[in-house]
Amino acid sequence: MHTYAKISWDMRRKNITVKDIARKLNLHHTTVSRALRNHPDVNSKTRARVLKTAKGLGYFPNVFAANLRNNRSSTIGVIVPVLHHDFFSSIVAEITNMAAAVGLSVLICQSNENINQELQNVNALISNRVAGMVASISQFSRNSDHFNRVMRLGIPLVFFDRVSDRTDASKVIIDYQLGAFDLVSHLISIGCTRIAHVGGPQQVVPAQLRFEGYKAALLKHGLPFREEYVIFGDFEAEYGLACARRLLSLPQKPDAIFAVNDQVALGVMIHLISEGIRIPEDIAIAGFDNDKVAQFTSPTLTSVDANSRQISRKVIDLLLRQINSIAATPVTEQVKPNLIVRQSTTRKDMQQIFS
Amino acid sequence: MHTYAKISWDMRRKNITVKDIARKLNLHHTTVSRALRNHPDVNSKTRARVLKTAKGLGYFPNVFAANLRNNRSSTIGVIVPVLHHDFFSSIVAEITNMAAAVGLSVLICQSNENINQELQNVNALISNRVAGMVASISQFSRNSDHFNRVMRLGIPLVFFDRVSDRTDASKVIIDYQLGAFDLVSHLISIGCTRIAHVGGPQQVVPAQLRFEGYKAALLKHGLPFREEYVIFGDFEAEYGLACARRLLSLPQKPDAIFAVNDQVALGVMIHLISEGIRIPEDIAIAGFDNDKVAQFTSPTLTSVDANSRQISRKVIDLLLRQINSIAATPVTEQVKPNLIVRQSTTRKDMQQIFS
DNA sequence: ATGAAAGCGCTAACAA
DNA sequence: TTGTTAGCGCTTTCAT
């Protein structure tokens, strides 16, 4: 029903304990324990002696004993689909730092987009008695039953980005629609009127939201929505290349292309450049996700940053509030992404400075 | 001397224990414990009943109690300078997967290139009684005294890439020199004879090793080493741009440029393209690190992959051997990087297929 | 095959 | 201010 570690470490050396310190100082080990934890009821001179000998003996508190005794833990668990991905690695990095700042350790798990592994991760974290969990679910985990027991055990849980549809957990989501809206509004503001959208898979929510934001911006600014300017597909560069070709074959070419992400935008750019089309003079290009590549393309690529710092901040805040029982009711917070304007969408009247 | 968690989780619910299961089945809790761990001395019928009730009650073993009792743990700790970095995030990702496969959990720590934080990480991991540690030290940690206590406690320790100079710990290092040698040999094999090197900071070992490999390859193939073809600086794209300018101003321009990493190579490429120089027809370009961008540049960029999978594999193997006391003496293993040939160094006679 | 006893290291409650 | 007692949940003896 649950996995036991097949491998473990038999400690070679007897560890120093509070009793060792106590013996050395002719004190009772409880006094030592109190001294170590800055309990007020302890003579400052005694405390000093305890701290000194503890250091001298190379004492390290045994968290297992403390956690067992206190029935608590100072570890949180984080589950992500993959770690080797710009977005997730920066979120995990930030969460780890923020957790460390308040004395929490972080157990990291990857589902590898596999719902079964996600279940295993959940079980492992429960067995590790984590103080709380943070999760971004795998692409195919519409069903989130494996988190039921987390809730049932009362373990604080916060989803982010790829959230489950359950209503009993807190969530931090990214307002992709707003991001797309801002981006397309920006394209309009620099004078584009025929804005095409190279969208992602139609059934994927973040892709849908970007499309919604695109439509909303057109509507808001009185531009017509044109079927022929919208293509749905995937998240890869090759696909962007193919779409660019298709868009260029239209009788009335677009004057801007908004790609569902930076990889696709890159594909689009490569095709346009190979066709001798100037960016942004002939066609402006914008991506999404603010991938590291966006700063290194030529021209540099306008994109939308998901604001991972703010996401991490909100995730940790929500989690800590739950851990400290400040908040019991689940809340959903939205993070507003940031538009990052770069050369690929420079205003017509500013273009000379980049030439 | 060490930090105590300021924040923790008071478990709301009484957890199900072996005693709860025992009570329900009129058994002794030790029998239940045995059944749960597939101890041979237990009636298979009894075991079945135990397993069933355990599942029914939603039992999860308390690892704190087990670990305290057994004086062992099934968690390993990983310390990296930063997580938000292609190389480290892929290593951590792979280590996490490999660890999970053998039932080990992973505690992740970042030093943020700060030696003080590195010390804190070490202490936190010791307090968490990790079964072993994996570390890539911060750029400025030439001194590795903070790992002394890890060794003294007999905690298995494996360094990788950024290794400490201590002789009592196992290490997995990357043969950067060989990687550079292979790369430059490749450049020579496609007909380049005037190969420039845009190097990294002169005091950084991996940069030195690449330079050594560069020189060795020239020597091996009877090409002259020319001072004016070598520049030392940093790891950023801007620097590559500046160096490219400088190299182009030489009376005899190079016909190939080997950059210390892909970011720098990117800077070089951007400058060359802006000058109308064709890659690789006029000048071939090669980077190092096999950054994700290398696949998306135009032309795609030849690079050297550090082989993170193999590094992770070796790190985990070494660690597990130590954890299982198979190996006591520290060993140092070298990983051979892989040359990834792409369009930026295509042979003269093959170039047409990419046009 | 099962039960009883003991203890891992720590800390809260109570006593002195 | 310090010491005593007890127990967190588990597993390893040893006894039945």
Side-chain angles (χ1 to χ4, degrees), chain A residues 73-135:
Chain A
S73 114
S74 51
T75 300
I76 61 170
V78 177
I79 303 176
V80 290
V82 288
L83 200 51
H84 183 42
H85 185 298
D86 240 36
F87 177 71
F88 290 116
S89 75
S90 57
I91 296 264
V92 171
E94 278 150 3
I95 286 179
T96 302
N97 282 340
M98 293 171 185
V102 295
L104 290 170
S105 299
V106 174
L107 274 173
I108 183 77
C109 301
Q110 290 180 98
S111 69
N112 293 309
E113 302 284 10
N114 178 328
I115 189 158
N116 235 326
Q117 231 173 307
E118 199 169 280
L119 168 62
Q120 303 238 328
N121 292 337
V122 169
N123 287 348
L125 292 180
I126 293 178
S127 279
N128 272 289
R129 292 293 195 269
V130 291
M133 273 188 216
V134 173

Side-chain angles (χ1 to χ4, degrees), chain A residues 131 149-156, chain B residues 9 12-13:
Chain A
R149 63 187 82 189
V150 178
M151 300 307 301
R152 212 179 315 119
L153 289 168
I155 299 175
Chain B
W9 170 49
R12 283 123 241 261
R13 244 182 71 84

Side-chain angles (χ1 to χ4, degrees), chain A residues 8-11 13-18 20 58-67 75 105, chain B residues 2 63-64 67-68 70-77 104-105 107 121-133 153 155-156 323:
Chain A
S8 55
W9 170 48
D10 293 300
M11 299 194 186
R13 241 182 75 84
K14 197 198 165 312
N15 286 285
I16 306 296
T17 75
V18 280
D20 295 322
Y59 170 77
F60 278 85
N62 185 324
V63 289
F64 296 148
N67 288 347
T75 300
S105 299
Chain B
H2 35 249
V63 287
F64 297 147
N67 289 348
L68 174 60
N70 297 328
N71 198 27
R72 61 179 180 75
S73 104
S74 50
T75 300
I76 61 171
L104 289 171
S105 299
L107 273 173
N121 293 338
V122 170
N123 288 349
L125 292 180
I126 294 178
S127 279
N128 273 288
R129 293 295 193 272
V130 289
M133 274 190 217
L153 290 168
I155 300 176
I323 288 175

Side-chain angles (χ1 to χ4, degrees), chain B residues 63-345:
Chain B
V63 287
F64 297 147
N67 289 348
L68 174 60
R69 174 58 233 242
N70 297 328
N71 198 27
R72 61 179 180 75
S73 104
S74 50
T75 300
I76 61 171
V78 177
I79 303 177
V80 289
V82 287
L83 200 51
H84 182 42
H85 185 298
D86 240 36
F87 176 71
F88 291 116
S89 75
S90 58
I91 297 264
V92 171
E94 278 150 3
I95 286 180
T96 302
N97 282 340
M98 292 170 184
V102 294
L104 289 171
S105 299
V106 174
L107 273 173
I108 182 78
C109 302
Q110 289 180 101
S111 70
N112 293 308
E113 302 285 10
N114 178 328
I115 188 159
N116 236 323
Q117 231 173 307
E118 199 169 281
L119 168 61
Q120 302 240 328
N121 293 338
V122 170
N123 288 349
L125 292 180
I126 294 178
S127 279
N128 273 288
R129 293 295 193 272
V130 289
M133 274 190 217
V134 173
S136 195
I137 62 180
S138 75
Q139 233 159 357
F140 313 106
S141 305
R142 295 316 306 160
N143 179 319
S144 63
D145 289 351
H146 45 307
F147 284 101
N148 283 349
R149 63 189 82 192
V150 177
M151 300 306 301
R152 213 178 316 119
L153 290 168
I155 300 176
L157 172 61
V158 179
F159 290 106
F160 73 93
D161 190 33
R162 306 239 206 120
V163 302
S164 123
D165 47 10
R166 56 189 315 138
T167 56
D168 53 358
S170 288
K171 304 169 194 176
V172 177
I173 57 179
I174 301 158
D175 196 340
Y176 289 120
Q177 185 165 351
L178 178 64
F181 180 88
D182 287 348
L183 178 57
V184 174
S185 298
H186 159 70
L187 290 171
I188 295 169
S189 81
I190 64 166
C192 300
T193 54
R194 301 185 307 281
I195 302 168
H197 177 47
V198 179
Q202 268 184 285
Q203 71 280 14
V204 173
V205 176
Q208 287 166 7
L209 294 173
R210 289 164 210 198
F211 177 53
E212 293 302 325
Y214 162 79
K215 282 192 295 188
L218 293 184
L219 188 67
K220 167 81 178 298
H221 296 91
L223 289 180
F225 171 77
R226 307 192 189 188
E227 289 278 3
E228 72 270 27
Y229 279 174
V230 177
I231 313 178
F232 291 104
D234 63 32
F235 289 118
E236 305 305 322
E238 289 71 29
Y239 157 70
L241 227 128
C243 292
R245 193 175 298 122
R246 201 166 126 195
L247 289 170
L248 289 184
S249 72
L250 289 175
Q252 198 174 22
K253 291 186 187 46
D255 58 6
I257 300 177
F258 159 36
V260 69
N261 71 5
D262 292 342
Q263 299 304 328
V264 172
L266 222 68
V268 171
M269 281 177 78
I270 288 173
H271 183 71
L272 295 197
I273 290 169
S274 76
E275 294 289 310
I277 291 167
R278 294 169 307 163
I279 305 166
E281 292 85 343
D282 302 328
I283 301 183
I285 307 285
F288 212 100
D289 283 352
N290 196 24
D291 196 295
K292 252 183 272 176
V293 287
Q295 327 166 38
F296 294 118
T297 54
S298 174
T300 54
L301 178 65
T302 291
S303 192
V304 176
D305 189 281
N307 215 335
S308 66
R309 237 199 102 73
Q310 207 184 324
I311 297 168
S312 312
R313 183 77 270 163
K314 283 191 191 286
V315 165
I316 280 287
D317 284 350
L318 284 178
L319 195 70
L320 293 185
R321 293 174 81 84
Q322 278 186 256
I323 288 175
N324 296 320
S325 307
I326 297 169
T329 45
V331 297
T332 296
E333 297 213 13
Q334 278 211 335
V335 171
K336 184 181 166 336
N338 292 121
L339 175 64
I340 312 281
V341 176
R342 297 203 181 85
Q343 295 168 358
S344 68
T345 65

